[in-house]
Amino acid sequence: MTAALPTPTRWQRVTRWALHSPTAIWTAFVLAHLWLGWVNLNAPGLPLGDVTIWYRYWAEEADLNSYYVGVDTSWVYPVVALIPMVMAGVFGFANFAGSWLSLVFLLDAVAFAALVGWRRPGRPVVVGWWWIAFLVLLGPIAMGRIDSISVPLGIVAVLYLATRPKLAAVLLTIATWIKVWPAAIIAAAIIASRDRLKILITAVVASIAIIAAVVALGGARNLFSFITQQTGRGLQVEAPVSNIWMWMSFAHVPGAYPYYDQAINTYEVTGPFSTGIAGIMTAVLAVVVAAVAVLGVIAVRRGASVTELLPPLSLAFVTAFIAFNKVGSPQYITWLAVPIILGLATNAAGHGRSFRIPAILSLAIAALTQSFYPYFYLELLELHGPELVALTVRNLLLFVVLGWAVAVVWDVSRRSAIHEELPEAESWLPSVWPFGRNASRFDGADILAADDAD
């Protein structure tokens, strides 16, 4: 005779209800953004500096002088990045910071609704809680850069790759023309998805439309200036490869020291052989990305399913973009949210691998990033031990996440798993679509009722 299960306490029932309550999760989402907004506006270290100084300046030039960066002059960002900056100035440039934060909040809310729904969250509700935790742990940088515009677009796109691949491709293409990193998700989808041709053609057509618009405005010469602007840069202090020279500086190795590059308004580090390494890092990144792509292609040719391959392959691409990047700005960590959410949501729907390990590691990476930026960034530049250790551990964890993702892609390839073909609308992530016919939902009231019935 089996023993009866213990009756959950009232506290356990309330806790379980709160974790699945739409009111609780949306309240937490709003409070998290209010907190991040307040920190951006009030915290030391000028966390919103790029927004209030450079984004505002570029938007003012466009509005007052009809001078468009990326069109009339070379620029560090793809040209579509100017659009959200101009939008933030609609209510007056005196309110630019608040308008920017509000724009990010609205885009995040749309992505959050696509993930957990408005009224009756389904199984991916736990993914929503993960994203809230990730944002809070990462801190003000989660809302304070142009990356915070591309991330929610990427989240919505990966959630709709299964049922609306063309829409997903359009969103990812727009996001790529805001910040290049979403191209990693496009590459992973083209490799792993059965809809690769739809995704590729849609991305190409959308890009041609953007290019044609810029050329019509007279910006053909500056269209790809964001590539040349990046390739000539040195080693930014936060980049993983820069840890070598940061520790050299800490050890007082002759010629090794961090400095401010006025030409591109960022802090870089120099030292023995740093110029040569900086010159080859773009090529190294390209080789690593190509190697990941080859692994993905091998897995597809051996019959790996999209549910098993796409999430780890996306994570491998995105993490490689960070780990082998000579720039390595703190806001790059926001990119991790997209493949992690894809992996968690896929697994929550009963498919693919568990993403618990990279999800936990990403939370640690976010917290370590906030531990030195923005509050103690000056201490990092002054080579204080605790901040330098936090940066080093953060960067090492990036390689751990990359290693995990590559190992999973390789394992999927090695096992040559063949999965039953399913109808396209029901092929994967069936419980993620809060507005779709395949949505599988429950809420806190269901949990309480089940507990009371025990």
Side-chain angles (χ1 to χ4, degrees), residues 24-40 105 108 112 128-129 131-137 139-140 142-143:
I25 193 170
W26 274 100
T27 299
F29 174 84
V30 172
L31 290 176
H33 281 77
L34 290 175
W35 164 251
L36 293 173
W38 184 89
V39 173
N40 266 297
F105 169 75
D108 281 356
F112 201 66
W129 283 111
W131 190 26
I132 292 171
F134 180 80
L135 291 171
V136 173
L137 290 173
M143 297 184 72

Side-chain angles (χ1 to χ4, degrees), residues 15-32:
T15 301
R16 291 176 64 186
W17 172 84
L19 288 175
H20 294 277
S21 164
T23 302
I25 193 170
W26 274 100
T27 299
F29 174 84
V30 172
L31 290 176

Side-chain angles (χ1 to χ4, degrees), residues 185-193 195-197 199-200 203 310:
I185 307 294
I186 295 177
I190 290 173
I191 292 172
S193 175
D195 291 311
R196 60 181 59 89
L197 192 58
I199 294 169
L200 176 60
L310 182 58

Side-chain angles (χ1 to χ4, degrees), residues 50-51 53-90 93 96 100 103 107 145-147 149-150 153 174-180 210 213-214 217 219 222-223 225-226:
D50 278 21
V51 173
I53 298 172
W54 293 108
Y55 297 4
R56 174 176 169 172
Y57 170 73
W58 291 323
E60 285 182 322
E61 286 291 291
D63 182 65
L64 302 177
N65 301 318
S66 298
Y67 186 78
Y68 304 99
V69 287
V71 176
D72 298 312
T73 186
S74 59
W75 200 27
V76 295
Y77 297 127
V79 65
V80 179
L82 184 61
I83 293 177
M85 298 177 190
V86 171
M87 291 174 63
V90 168
F93 292 103
F96 193 85
W100 176 268
L103 177 60
L107 289 174
R145 294 295 186 273
I146 190 63
D147 306 72
I149 302 295
S150 61
L153 291 177
I174 293 172
T176 299
W177 280 94
I178 292 175
K179 199 69 183 281
V180 176
I210 293 171
V214 175
L217 293 172
N222 298 307
L223 185 61
S225 60
F226 62 92

Side-chain angles (χ1 to χ4, degrees), residues 235 241 274 276-287 323-326:
L235 301 177
V241 67
S274 63
I277 295 299
I280 67 171
M281 281 308 296
T282 300
V284 171
L285 174 59
V287 170
F324 288 92
N325 201 313
K326 65 180 177 180

